Amino acid sequence: MSRSKESDELIFFVNGKKVTERNADPEVNLLFYLRKVIRLTGTKYGCGGGDCGACTVMISRYDPISKKISHFSVAACLVPICSLHGAAVTTVEGIGSTKTRIHPVQERIAKGHGTQCGFCTPGMVMSIYTLLRNHPEPSTEQIMETLGGNLCRCTGYRPIVESVKSFSPSSVCCQMNGKGKCCLDEEKNEPGRENSVCTKLYEKEEFQPLDPTQELIFPPELMRMAEDSQNTVLTFRGERTTWIAPGTLTDLLELKMEYPSAPLVIGNTCLGLDMKFKDVSYPIIISPARILELFVVTNTKEGLTLGAGLSLTQVKNVLSDVVSRLPMEKTQMYCALLKHLRTLAGQQIRNVASLGGHIISRLPTSDLNPILGVGNCILNVASKEGTQQIPLNDRFLAGVPDAGLKPEQVLISVFLPLSSKWEFVSAFRQAPRQQNAFAILNAGMKVVFREDTSTITDLSILYGGIATTVVSAKKSCQQLIGRRWDEGMLDDAGKMILDEVSLLTAATGGMVEYRKTLAVGFLFKFYLDVLKQLKMRNPRRYPDIPQKLLHILEDFPLTMPHGMQSFKDVDSQQPLQDPVGRPIMHQSGIKHATGEAVFCDDMSLLAGELFLAVVTSSKPHAKIISLDASEALASPGVVDVITAQDVPGDNGREEESLYAQDEVICVGQIVCAIAADSYAHAKQATKKVKIVYQDLEPMIVTVQDALQYESFIGPEKKLEQGNVEVGFQCADQILEGEVHLGGQEHFYMETQSIRVVPKGEEKEMDIYVSSQDAAFTQEMVARTLGIPKNRINCHVKRVGGAFGGKTSKPGLLASVAAVAAQKTGRPIRFILERGDDMLITGGRHPLFGKYKIGFMNNGKIKAADIQLYINGGCTPDDSELVIEYALLKLENAYKIPNFRVRGRVCKTNLPSNTAFRGFGFPQGAFVTETCISAVAAKCHLPPEKVRELNMYRTIDRTIHKQEFDPANLIKCWETCMENSSYYNRKKAVDEFNQQSFWKKRGIAIIPMKFSVGFPKTFYHQAAALVQIYTDGSVLVAHGGVELGQGINTKMIQVASRELKIPMSYIHLDEMNTMTVPNTVTTGASTGADVNGRAVQNACQILMKRLEPIISQNPNGAWEEWVNEAFIQSISLSATGYFRGYQADMDWEKGEGDIYPYFVFGAACSEVEIDCLTGAHKNIRTDIVMDGSFSINPAVDIGQIEGAFVQGLGLYTLEELKYSPEGVLYTRGPHQYKIASVTDIPEEFHVSLLTPTQNPKAIYSSKGLGEAGMFLGSSVFFAIAAAVAAARKERGLSPIWAINSPATAELIRMACEDQFTNLVPQMDSKCCKPWSIPVA
């Protein structure tokens, strides 16, 4: 075989520097190479599957044909380094740093408060940077499409969007003030305005302009390489795989003949996922990315021929250009493709995924294949034997052997014909999220009519998401040929399609009834769409379509969020140097944006460092019969296998073992660990551990299972006031019901991360851990190793998001790693992959609630009896505290005179659930708000009136007998009513609903009384160490952990005020247990409160020592005073301490002053739902929060927004799915959808209430880290209101309690109509369902 010359030299550039690798390993991806080989750690690991955007970098290539350089963002975790030959890679380090200069993108996202924990920030920066390299003044659509592939769990996205929007003069300004001015420009902060409201969180005038001429140039060497690289076949041989990249089509066809089973890879977005998550490996991989024939675009009068190698982004651009130039009737299929190309995956995936790969992979949820399949497209294929044309039809998409490519054939191009005059094509999809989510169901539909009639001559319908391949409704379509396009045809078509397109109860993905309903719903949309177009062509021939129906044809647009953030400006008399009360940028904001902020896994490798991977149980409840790790131990790179027998001290705590011993009690429990010289070797070895199990009974998965078997953790907790029985006797009406609320995954962007470094002396160890509670980690490791705590030093520099999930779990995982470190005597790095993290660590407790409410006809509640059950999982963890908090806070804002609440923790065979932001309050208060809404519906009263009627109004006592003043609660409620123009908008919502049948709007306003803190005094103690150096610089250490909530920024503000020095003098390094011992977990919204008091105390001690010196030289400089103190032998180091708030609870009596203070708030949200699909759009949210005197309004508003969006996810989007055997299906962003940028309200306004005194907290501030979480329920109740409007119009009875989350499936199936009635209800008893609710 005569083939071009071979080369094993891989050449590419990273940040302008040449990289040369010989025999690069095809299984090594760019993310690994950047982080572990060339030590550029700004690019982060978030999921490993291209779904989160944390690893975004920019790739630039030179096209020798067009002579142009293209720039595109990619997910580095999916890019094999072998595919980078001739490319220039730019990472976050390459565009700017604090050592050189920061880039305008980095500056604006940091100064605009678009970063909190900072873990997602480098990826965000690189997505925005790439956008600006291509479009220096981007449009709204370009911005939203760009950000759609990046997830953030902290900020709520609004400040990130604003940062990008600042580059776009054409973007829509909020213009909320009615003067045509931006709200950010309105406030000028004139002196003397002591009570002024400020709406400016940063000075955008300070931003440096974008200067495209300052960017890195494309390396000329790569241009020369691109011009003459076609004659070389690149061959890279790795440990298990060989990568071959031919330069000519002839070479490619010869290779495919020689290796017919070798896959072709261009974007690696499909094959890469299989290799990563399904452990698929290939001896040979062929990359045709350098074959010019695969990238040719040909435009003729018959249609377009697109090269199979074109990326989906390139396809979108080509189609957009053609559609703009041709009549609509000719571009029906092109428009349908464009509709899906805007939302398919994220921008990073669309930039590399090829058209040919998308087609050939034939994924069952492919968004494009059903459209191409109905469009009479042709595949142009080639082999050494010649060329062939293959129809891209239903047989090809179904995988029929004789309808596809032969193993030796290669797809060269795809022909997309133009539409004929009487041909109509539409595309439909419904996904869990508007952007970057696989469709639950999609469809391509085409109809052809006899000329100038509505008689069907051809009909094609293809569905994706129904089965393991794309499914055709071919029989139904054939039977409908010759029929007229009318309602009779539509009715018959729906029944035929449901008969033909079947789904089993146990079908993968579940949602069987919903998917069937979508199938006929899409058909109805297609019917209306075609009818509308026919009507436009000939208004007289076709009947009018009621306007009430036409709303359904309008998809929710990708709109850019905007809003106003308002807070009280600082007093005009406050010194400019005093930073307290000012919107100061996050202390690490710039470092986040440049990638210089160091997280646990960013730390350099030490000599001899090993990597840990764990083997987890595949059974929910079983006895371990045997464990054979011999094959794993003999695997390449493996140093040791660690089991329970290797633990020198305690193997865990209470019922939670580090390593399972004799028995496993959940799927995901750690059985053993593998220590190896690389993570890849450790991971491969875990698959060779052989464990034999014997199933044990009972297997308890759900709350209902636990109730049946009386399986509980701890005793029942109970609170009661008044006389409940008498209250029910006095009531006009009594309502009983149930509430189900699903769990929630923390989805912190940085997965659980631990490094253990044995120091080789006295059994000392350094633990570097991403934890909220370093002292607990220290204690767990010490107990596990059987050594004193003073030998263990836990270090926490910063944490990439936590939300409660890094309170107890890091202690257990660090202990697992510490055993491995002690046994091997070498440093251990233990970083959980996203799937393992979600499987092992648990999340928010799912809740099942039962209620009985007695009330008067005017809506006044007389009595309530509520029983709560939470799914605690297999071990106690924090579950008993969570149920206590749920009961203590359940009443929310309401005074119910006769009230009984009881709660139990159910013990099940699921991974133990744990602390989560809000800690029981989002679940408990949700039950109460459900009851309030049910009472309002039963009494035919507006919900806001029932809420007002039952709200606390005067100084009173809570259900646990703690006195409080609800004045600020009422103020928040009334201010929110006013800010949101509630009644005017409610009237507008009612008018909209009267004019639209298939789309409905809802609006809801929810009050909140959130209690801050822990139920024990000792949990509130804090310590700090403040040290002044002789040059005047100050080092602050405290017991709190920087989780992204800005605690370090606030501590610097506190020290600056107390020491009366600029913030620039103050440095705050890591938190560690040697500097500040016996710390308490950073949580319960108290971190800044208690640690601030400790820092304040230390500073005041130091200032008292300096007082005599200052009084002797009042005009001296700080440095002079400090030096004089040193000369006088005055200590310049002080420990500050705060004993804590008094907090105790007597559960026997059911009373206690538990919480130091309350945070009050209110939120009003408006939504629009699509009754035919279940999709919804968050139109507007107004939040008013009682933050008292905010130490840092930018940080506090960021916390409110981020918590709200996380709550929005809890109540409307995020759904954990378990098999009947307790196996978690949703183990990454691929399956589990948190809110993305398109899910936040289009208008998003946050106001801090006019401050009032809060003597309990430092500077009269309040902790706002958690409170906003529950306010996300306002979106849920707005959805419920919209569903109620739909049901009322359809003559259906009210639903008293809608389960949470209100997903598209739940919304659609609640809006019952003729299409849901067509679908027979499935009987789960006759067939085991794919997934089950666990609460």
Side-chain angles (χ1 to χ4, degrees), residues 344-378:
L344 187 156
Q347 185 84 45
Q348 297 90 327
I349 301 299
R350 295 193 295 270
N351 285 340
V352 294
S354 67
L355 175 64
H358 188 89
I359 293 168
I360 296 296
S361 63
R362 289 186 281 211
L363 293 174
T365 51
S366 160
D367 281 334
L368 304 186
N369 283 353
I371 308 168
L372 297 169
V374 300
N376 297 329
C377 295
I378 300 293

Side-chain angles (χ1 to χ4, degrees), residues 634-692:
S635 298
V638 172
V639 173
D640 215 333
V641 176
I642 300 93
T643 66
Q645 281 69 38
D646 297 310
V647 179
D650 295 341
N651 184 29
R653 58 169 187 155
E654 297 179 35
E655 300 171 43
E656 189 157 17
S657 301
L658 302 181
Y659 294 96
Q661 194 169 11
D662 303 327
E663 183 181 334
V664 293
I665 52 177
C666 72
V667 174
Q669 184 178 4
I670 295 173
V671 179
C672 66
I674 309 287
D677 61 356
S678 72
Y679 181 74
H681 283 150
K683 190 71 176 175
Q684 288 163 15
T686 61
K687 298 174 176 62
K688 299 176 182 178
V689 176
K690 297 179 176 64
I691 305 173
V692 177

Side-chain angles (χ1 to χ4, degrees), residues 713 845 870-875 879 905-913:
I713 295 171
H845 294 73
I870 60 172
N871 194 324
C874 59
T875 65
S879 295
V905 178
C906 295
K907 184 178 182 181
T908 63
N909 295 116
L910 294 180
S912 59
N913 288 309

Side-chain angles (χ1 to χ4, degrees), residues 855-1083:
F855 52 96
M856 309 307 287
N857 291 329
N858 69 349
K860 185 70 175 178
I861 296 175
K862 288 292 184 181
D865 190 357
I866 296 176
Q867 179 88 51
L868 303 182
Y869 300 96
I870 60 172
N871 194 324
C874 59
T875 65
D877 201 272
D878 289 323
S879 295
E880 288 187 82
L881 263 181
V882 170
I883 197 66
E884 288 180 10
Y885 274 49
L887 298 181
L888 290 165
K889 302 183 181 190
L890 181 133
E891 65 178 14
N892 192 22
Y894 308 108
K895 175 67 175 177
I896 300 174
N898 306 292
F899 200 9
R900 178 167 57 226
V901 293
R902 291 165 290 172
R904 296 295 305 260
V905 178
C906 295
K907 184 178 182 181
T908 63
N909 295 116
L910 294 180
S912 59
N913 288 309
T914 188
F916 203 134
R917 194 179 207 166
F919 208 80
F921 177 65
Q923 297 103 306
F926 175 78
V927 175
T928 302
E929 292 299 339
T930 298
C931 294
I932 295 283
S933 297
V935 168
K938 192 76 171 168
C939 296
H940 306 288
L941 293 168
E944 67 275 8
K945 294 299 182 186
V946 176
R947 289 188 165 93
E948 285 179 353
L949 185 64
N950 289 284
M951 217 179 286
Y952 280 103
R953 288 283 167 179
T954 58
I955 293 176
D956 210 324
R957 292 187 178 274
T958 66
I959 191 172
H960 54 85
K961 313 298 187 295
Q962 181 169 346
E963 186 176 276
F964 80 104
D965 184 351
N968 280 2
L969 169 65
I970 303 304
K971 284 182 187 175
C972 285
W973 176 264
E974 292 173 349
T975 306
C976 192
M977 277 278 188
E978 181 183 347
N979 289 359
S980 65
S981 305
Y982 180 80
Y983 288 110
N984 288 339
R985 285 174 51 218
K986 188 170 186 183
K987 183 179 177 183
V989 163
D990 292 339
E991 289 172 357
F992 176 90
N993 289 342
Q994 289 171 12
Q995 296 164 13
S996 175
F997 183 81
W998 288 107
K999 286 192 176 177
K1000 296 294 180 187
R1001 288 187 178 175
I1003 188 169
I1005 183 167
I1006 302 293
M1008 180 197 68
K1009 170 175 67 70
F1010 179 78
S1011 41
V1012 166
F1014 297 99
K1016 295 287 183 184
T1017 300
F1018 71 85
Y1019 276 121
H1020 293 116
Q1021 64 183 301
L1025 177 63
V1026 177
Q1027 302 176 95
I1028 305 172
Y1029 294 89
T1030 53
D1031 64 352
S1033 63
V1034 176
L1035 181 64
V1036 175
H1038 61 90
V1041 176
E1042 178 57 66
L1043 312 167
Q1045 84 283 38
I1047 188 172
N1048 284 353
T1049 310
K1050 287 185 175 182
M1051 294 308 97
I1052 292 173
Q1053 288 177 272
V1054 170
S1056 174
R1057 167 176 277 191
E1058 295 297 332
L1059 298 176
K1060 298 180 175 60
I1061 59 175
M1063 291 177 66
S1064 59
Y1065 280 42
I1066 303 163
H1067 179 61
L1068 207 154
D1069 195 26
E1070 68 173 18
M1071 180 268 167
N1072 68 67
T1073 53
M1074 188 173 288
T1075 306
V1076 183
N1078 307 319
T1079 57
V1080 177
T1081 185
T1082 302

Side-chain angles (χ1 to χ4, degrees), residues 561-851:
H562 62 271
M564 182 187 294
Q565 303 77 46
S566 58
F567 56 95
K568 182 186 179 298
D569 201 358
V570 297
D571 192 293
S572 60
Q573 304 303 311
Q574 180 172 317
L576 287 174
Q577 186 176 282
D578 182 354
V580 171
R582 303 185 195 275
I584 304 295
M585 178 181 68
H586 193 290
Q587 170 237 7
S588 296
I590 296 293
K591 289 184 287 186
H592 290 160
T594 61
E596 292 169 275
V598 177
F599 292 86
C600 187
D601 192 35
D602 297 337
M603 301 177 77
S604 298
L605 291 178
L606 297 174
E609 187 165 323
L610 300 177
F611 296 80
L612 206 66
V614 291
V615 177
T616 57
S617 166
S618 59
K619 298 284 186 177
H621 191 196
K623 183 179 180 181
I624 299 174
I625 302 299
S626 65
L627 188 156
D628 180 5
S630 56
E631 190 180 345
L633 197 54
S635 298
V638 172
V639 173
D640 215 333
V641 176
I642 300 93
T643 66
Q645 281 69 38
D646 297 310
V647 179
D650 295 341
N651 184 29
R653 58 169 187 155
E654 297 179 35
E655 300 171 43
E656 189 157 17
S657 301
L658 302 181
Y659 294 96
Q661 194 169 11
D662 303 327
E663 183 181 334
V664 293
I665 52 177
C666 72
V667 174
Q669 184 178 4
I670 295 173
V671 179
C672 66
I674 309 287
D677 61 356
S678 72
Y679 181 74
H681 283 150
K683 190 71 176 175
Q684 288 163 15
T686 61
K687 298 174 176 62
K688 299 176 182 178
V689 176
K690 297 179 176 64
I691 305 173
V692 177
Y693 297 103
Q694 179 183 326
D695 289 335
L696 296 174
E697 295 292 338
M699 179 183 70
I700 301 171
V701 175
T702 69
V703 166
Q704 287 70 27
D705 293 340
L707 294 177
Q708 178 186 341
Y709 289 102
E710 296 186 351
S711 177
F712 300 110
I713 295 171
E716 181 182 77
K717 295 289 182 176
K718 177 181 174 182
L719 290 171
E720 189 167 358
Q721 67 183 12
N723 190 318
V724 175
E725 282 68 29
V726 171
F728 282 126
Q729 291 171 10
C730 298
D732 292 336
Q733 300 185 62
I734 293 176
L735 183 64
E736 297 186 57
E738 296 181 352
V739 185
H740 299 263
L741 188 144
Q744 186 180 25
E745 162 61 28
H746 298 92
F747 209 90
Y748 27 69
M749 293 302 293
E750 177 199 30
T751 59
Q752 299 278 354
S753 303
I754 296 106
R755 286 179 75 243
V756 179
V757 182
K759 297 175 79 172
E761 187 176 337
E762 298 285 344
K763 298 184 178 178
E764 294 174 348
M765 276 192 180
D766 278 325
I767 314 285
Y768 300 88
V769 60
S770 179
S771 171
Q772 294 173 249
D773 194 344
F776 176 72
T777 300
Q778 177 192 38
E779 179 183 346
M780 283 295 300
V781 171
R783 285 173 50 185
T784 301
L785 299 182
I787 60 178
K789 290 203 285 187
N790 62 8
R791 305 292 201 280
I792 306 296
N793 188 11
C794 283
H795 307 254
V796 187
K797 178 75 173 177
R798 57 175 56 85
V799 175
F803 318 113
K806 292 179 180 175
T807 303
S808 61
K809 301 301 183 184
L812 297 168
L813 297 169
S815 299
V816 167
V819 174
Q822 189 186 67
K823 186 181 182 188
T824 61
R826 292 164 68 172
I828 294 287
R829 187 177 296 244
F830 186 22
I831 313 294
L832 285 186
E833 290 190 286
R834 178 65 63 185
D836 290 337
D837 191 300
M838 293 184 72
L839 177 68
I840 293 168
T841 61
R844 189 183 298 280
H845 294 73
L847 175 139
F848 167 55
K850 298 169 74 173
Y851 63 83

